[in-house]
Amino acid sequence: MEHETSAAGSVGRVFSLLRLIGSAGSGGIRLTDLAERAALPRPTTHRILRALGAEAIVAFDARSKRYTLGLDLFLLAARAGNVVGLRDLARPTLLRLTASLGETLFLLVHNGYDAVCIERSAGPLPIRSFTGDIGGRVPLGIGQGSVAILAFLPPAEQDEAIRHNLPRMRDYGGPDEASLRAELLQVRRDGFCGGASGLIPGMAGVGVPILDAEGRAVAALSIGTTTDRLTPDRKAIIAGMLRQEATAISRQVNPFDPTLRRAAAAM
């Protein structure tokens, strides 16, 4: 009986630590702060974290000295109830919009400093895009879908992505920092990105974010078309359609979907 009580207490401490790490957000939490919040001795906390780390249930960043939830925990949770992943969730939307609009649709997912195309529905017109086909990636800040994601990231994460990507944007003929930040403010006000139409001559598009429960962009829906087809009136209508579809998808996004942690998991 004593052994069972001890085991139950250990399980309770493990889940208490996991909940605290999860509530700390994407930035993670330091060992000292974690032990204090869990009301556990620092050596005990460290021992539990080492065991969880060995199973990839938690991850440790040696540079920042912070712990975050590990990928294997997300993979395990994603199997609960056979939850549909983002790619399967969004595919009917892409096909439906391509059929109704006659345009090419893209599903991009946030992956580090990049946006990665994990699904594409091709329209009848030949379209050139920065991501190209499924598996293509582009720096956050280049292209409508990518800008839509960047605009709806937390301020600190957004600032870091901008600092890292500005030199990369030059290779694409992208904007300077002031122009980019002005565009991001406009995207947040409008709820969609419809700019940057001149980066690929003759091409234009609209991108809208797919948000998680905290209002953070995890992905984007975007449309690729030609500049002559994207008149101001048509752009407004398409933006409204995309926002409606993105909102519907956002309500069904599984926070433990491995696609949201690792874009390659979707492909």
Coordinates of all heavy atoms in Angstrom, one line a residue, residues 6 31-32 38 40 58 88 91 103-104 117 128 140 160 163 191 194 212 216 250-251:
S6 N 3.3 5.9 -2.9 CA 4.5 6.6 -3.4 C 4.5 6.7 -4.9 O 4.8 7.8 -5.5 CB 5.8 5.8 -3.0 OG 6.9 6.4 -3.5
L31 N 14.8 25.7 -14.7 CA 14.7 24.6 -13.7 C 14.3 25.3 -12.3 O 13.4 24.8 -11.6 CB 16.0 23.9 -13.6 CG 16.1 22.9 -12.4 CD1 15.1 21.8 -12.4 CD2 17.5 22.3 -12.3
T32 N 15.0 26.3 -12.0 CA 14.8 27.0 -10.7 C 13.3 27.5 -10.5 O 12.7 27.2 -9.5 CB 15.7 28.2 -10.5 OG1 17.1 27.7 -10.6 CG2 15.5 28.8 -9.1
A38 N 6.4 24.4 -8.6 CA 5.9 23.0 -8.3 C 6.1 22.7 -6.8 O 5.6 21.6 -6.4 CB 6.7 22.0 -9.1
L40 N 8.7 21.8 -5.2 CA 9.6 20.6 -5.2 C 11.0 21.0 -5.0 O 11.4 22.0 -5.4 CB 9.4 19.8 -6.4 CG 8.1 19.0 -6.7 CD1 8.1 18.4 -8.1 CD2 7.9 18.0 -5.6
V58 N 10.0 15.9 -22.5 CA 10.3 17.3 -22.4 C 11.6 17.5 -23.2 O 12.4 16.6 -23.4 CB 10.5 17.7 -20.9 CG1 9.2 17.5 -20.1 CG2 11.7 17.0 -20.3
D88 N -5.1 17.2 -43.5 CA -6.4 16.5 -43.8 C -7.6 17.4 -43.5 O -8.6 17.4 -44.2 CB -6.5 15.2 -43.1 CG -5.5 14.1 -43.6 OD1 -5.1 14.2 -44.7 OD2 -5.1 13.3 -42.7
R91 N -7.6 20.2 -46.4 CA -7.7 19.8 -47.8 C -9.0 20.0 -48.5 O -9.1 20.5 -49.6 CB -7.3 18.3 -48.0 CG -7.2 17.9 -49.4 CD -6.8 16.4 -49.6 NE -5.4 16.2 -49.2 CZ -5.1 15.4 -48.1 NH1 -6.0 14.8 -47.4 NH2 -3.8 15.2 -47.8
E103 N -8.8 29.3 -58.8 CA -7.5 29.8 -58.4 C -6.7 28.7 -57.6 O -7.3 27.7 -57.2 CB -7.6 31.0 -57.5 CG -8.4 32.1 -58.0 CD -7.7 32.9 -59.2 OE1 -6.6 32.5 -59.6 OE2 -8.3 33.9 -59.6
T104 N -5.4 28.9 -57.5 CA -4.5 28.0 -56.8 C -4.5 28.3 -55.3 O -4.3 29.5 -55.0 CB -3.1 28.0 -57.4 OG1 -3.1 27.5 -58.7 CG2 -2.2 27.1 -56.5
C117 N 5.0 24.9 -47.2 CA 3.8 24.5 -47.9 C 3.6 23.0 -47.7 O 4.4 22.2 -48.0 CB 3.9 24.8 -49.4 SG 2.5 24.2 -50.4
R128 N 3.2 31.0 -60.5 CA 4.5 30.9 -59.9 C 4.4 31.4 -58.4 O 3.8 32.4 -58.2 CB 5.5 31.8 -60.6 CG 5.9 31.2 -62.0 CD 6.9 32.1 -62.7 NE 6.3 33.4 -63.1 CZ 6.9 34.5 -63.1 NH1 8.2 34.5 -62.9 NH2 6.3 35.6 -63.5
L140 N 9.7 33.6 -43.3 CA 8.6 34.4 -42.8 C 8.8 35.9 -43.2 O 9.9 36.4 -42.9 CB 8.5 34.3 -41.3 CG 8.0 33.0 -40.7 CD1 8.1 33.0 -39.2 CD2 6.6 32.6 -41.2
E160 N 12.2 38.4 -33.3 CA 13.3 37.5 -33.5 C 13.3 37.0 -35.0 O 14.4 36.9 -35.6 CB 13.3 36.3 -32.6 CG 14.4 35.3 -32.8 CD 14.4 34.1 -31.9 OE1 13.5 34.1 -31.0 OE2 15.2 33.2 -32.0
R163 N 14.5 39.9 -37.3 CA 16.0 40.1 -37.2 C 16.7 39.0 -38.0 O 17.7 39.2 -38.7 CB 16.5 40.1 -35.7 CG 16.2 41.3 -35.0 CD 16.9 41.4 -33.7 NE 16.6 40.3 -32.8 CZ 15.6 40.4 -31.9 NH1 14.9 41.5 -31.8 NH2 15.3 39.4 -31.1
G191 N -6.7 41.7 -41.0 CA -7.0 40.3 -40.8 C -6.5 39.5 -42.0 O -6.7 38.2 -42.0
G194 N -2.6 41.2 -48.5 CA -2.9 41.2 -49.9 C -1.9 42.0 -50.6 O -2.1 42.4 -51.8
D212 N -4.3 29.6 -33.3 CA -4.6 28.6 -32.3 C -5.5 29.3 -31.2 O -6.0 30.4 -31.4 CB -3.3 28.1 -31.6 CG -2.5 29.1 -30.9 OD1 -3.0 30.2 -30.7 OD2 -1.3 28.8 -30.6
R216 N -2.5 32.9 -31.7 CA -1.2 32.9 -32.3 C -1.3 32.1 -33.7 O -1.9 31.1 -33.7 CB -0.2 32.2 -31.4 CG 1.2 31.9 -32.0 CD 2.1 31.2 -31.0 NE 3.4 30.9 -31.4 CZ 3.8 29.9 -32.2 NH1 2.9 29.0 -32.6 NH2 5.0 29.8 -32.6
S250 N -9.5 26.9 -37.7 CA -8.9 27.2 -36.4 C -9.7 26.6 -35.2 O -9.1 26.1 -34.3 CB -8.9 28.8 -36.2 OG -8.0 29.4 -37.1
R251 N -11.0 26.5 -35.3 CA -11.8 25.9 -34.3 C -11.5 24.4 -34.1 O -11.8 23.9 -33.1 CB -13.3 26.2 -34.5 CG -13.7 27.6 -34.5 CD -15.2 27.7 -34.4 NE -15.7 29.1 -34.6 CZ -16.2 29.6 -35.7 NH1 -16.4 28.8 -36.7 NH2 -16.6 30.9 -35.7

